[in-house]
């Protein structure tokens, strides 16, 4: 899921299709850049807006403990790389989501929505055979990042499988954009032997690592509460950010393919219940921040 949240960026003004480069701070926490992308996805793109005032972004990350200088550096770099468009409005700057970032954040939202639902299962695997020439190695790397993000597992030799068909259309579009459509073959397949199917799942995904992520999410947010609007904003932002990091690794396999004690449903239920409980006060705090600074 590396993923759209951690893929390498390209040259200034030419965003990578996978996503802007992100990193963690020295203590392992999320950087200003990663939190800014989460804020833009949750409070700007998801409600259908196209941009935000720079002082609003600075104040939002300030509520999350990010120094102003770090936020302004993140804004500058995202602008230089073509993810944000900056326009002076008097003494202030209006930040607009560039089309690639708008598409990326929309994709995150769609993946998040799928992560909250049980994956339907008819016994049919989505299968991709991807074997481009060596000259298209960079394009292949971008597609493979997106494949992992969309829940596909790597069986080796260019073979990828997924139980969830929800990301197939986006992947087809990316393959065409990257000039790989002619090197990709899509199929559906089924496995008649239950033991072989379990072995296939173990080969394609590191479920122990996924379980650890889900259990860490449960431990972190179980019983979390917010007593003020600002605390609700902080909790909602960190909740969404942490949830995105879980579904960047979790293939969201159907229950029939998972152990009986799999923590995925409990984590999803916790996310939904917590998000709903703090949605309105967090929105109030965002509205407080997101005022036109040109108006006294």
């Amino acid at each position: 899921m590396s993923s759209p949240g951690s893929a390498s960026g390209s040259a200034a003004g030419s965003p990578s299709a996978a996503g802007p480069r992100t990193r963690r701070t020295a203590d392992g926490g999320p950087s200003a850049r990663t939190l800014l992308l989460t804020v833009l996805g949750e409070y700007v793109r998801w409600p259908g807006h196209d941009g935000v005032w720079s002082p609003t972004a600075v104040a939002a990350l300030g509520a999350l403990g990010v120094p102003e200088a770090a936020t302004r550096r993140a804004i500058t770099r995202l602008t230089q790389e073509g993810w944000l468009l900056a326009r002076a409005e008097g003494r202030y700057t209006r930040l607009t989501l560039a089309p690639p970032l708008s598409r990326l954040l929309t994709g995150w939202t769609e993946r998040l929505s799928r992560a909250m639902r049980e994956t339907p299962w008819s016994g049919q695997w989505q299968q991709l055979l991807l074997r481009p020439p060596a000259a298209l190695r960079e394009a292949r790397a971008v597609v493979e990042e997106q494949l992992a993000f969309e829940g596909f597992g790597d069986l080796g030799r260019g073979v990828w499988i997924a139980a969830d068909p929800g990301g197939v259309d986006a992947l087809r579009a990316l393959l065409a954009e990257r000039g790989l459509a002619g090197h990709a073959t899509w199929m559906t397949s089924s496995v008649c032997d239950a033991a072989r199917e379990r072995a296939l799942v173990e080969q394609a995904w590191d479920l122990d690592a996924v379980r650890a992520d889900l259990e860490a999410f449960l431990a972190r947010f179980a019983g979390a509460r917010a007593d003020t609007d600002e605390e609700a904003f902080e909790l909602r932002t960190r909740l969404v950010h942490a949830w995105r990091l879980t579904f960047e690794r979790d293939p969201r396999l159907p229950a029939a393919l998972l152990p009986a004690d799999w923590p995925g449903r409990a984590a999803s239920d916790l996310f939904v219940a917590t998000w709903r409980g703090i949605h309105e006060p967090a929105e109030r705090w965002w509205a407080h921040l997101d005022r036109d600074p040109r108006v006294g």
Side-chain angles (χ1 to χ4, degrees), residues 183-223:
H183 305 284
T185 302
W186 288 97
M187 298 176 284
T188 58
S189 59
S190 59
V191 181
C192 298
D193 180 80
R196 180 66 191 123
E197 192 153 57
R198 287 193 297 272
L200 194 71
V201 169
E202 292 174 359
Q203 179 182 349
W205 294 283
D206 183 354
L207 291 187
D208 287 341
V210 177
R211 178 189 289 274
D213 284 348
L214 293 168
E215 290 176 345
F217 180 88
L218 286 164
R220 180 179 179 185
F221 292 103

Side-chain angles (χ1 to χ4, degrees), residues 163-182:
D164 179 6
V168 170
D169 288 345
L171 286 163
R172 286 182 183 274
L174 181 59
L175 286 163
E177 178 185 324
R178 288 282 161 166
L180 295 179

Side-chain angles (χ1 to χ4, degrees), residues 16 33 65 108 111 115 135 202 208 258:
S16 158
R33 191 180 178 96
W108 282 0
R111 182 72 171 94
E202 292 174 359
D208 287 341
L258 292 166

Side-chain angles (χ1 to χ4, degrees), residues 72-140:
R72 293 197 181 279
R73 283 195 299 271
I75 291 172
T76 297
R77 289 167 182 164
L78 288 171
T79 302
Q80 290 173 342
E81 293 168 11
W83 297 102
L84 289 172
L85 306 175
R87 182 181 71 252
E89 296 279 352
R91 295 167 41 227
Y92 302 99
T93 300
R94 180 71 178 175
L95 303 172
T96 302
L97 306 182
L101 183 55
S102 183
R103 290 195 296 270
L104 175 70
L105 296 177
T106 299
W108 282 0
T109 299
E110 291 173 351
R111 182 72 171 94
L112 185 151
S113 297
R114 297 207 320 270
M116 294 188 296
R117 302 190 298 267
E118 177 69 29
T119 300
W121 181 239
S122 63
Q124 293 291 310
W125 291 97
Q126 305 298 312
Q127 185 173 338
L128 171 64
L129 179 62
L130 180 62
R131 293 181 177 171
L136 296 176
R137 183 179 304 150
E138 182 178 349
R140 175 176 179 164

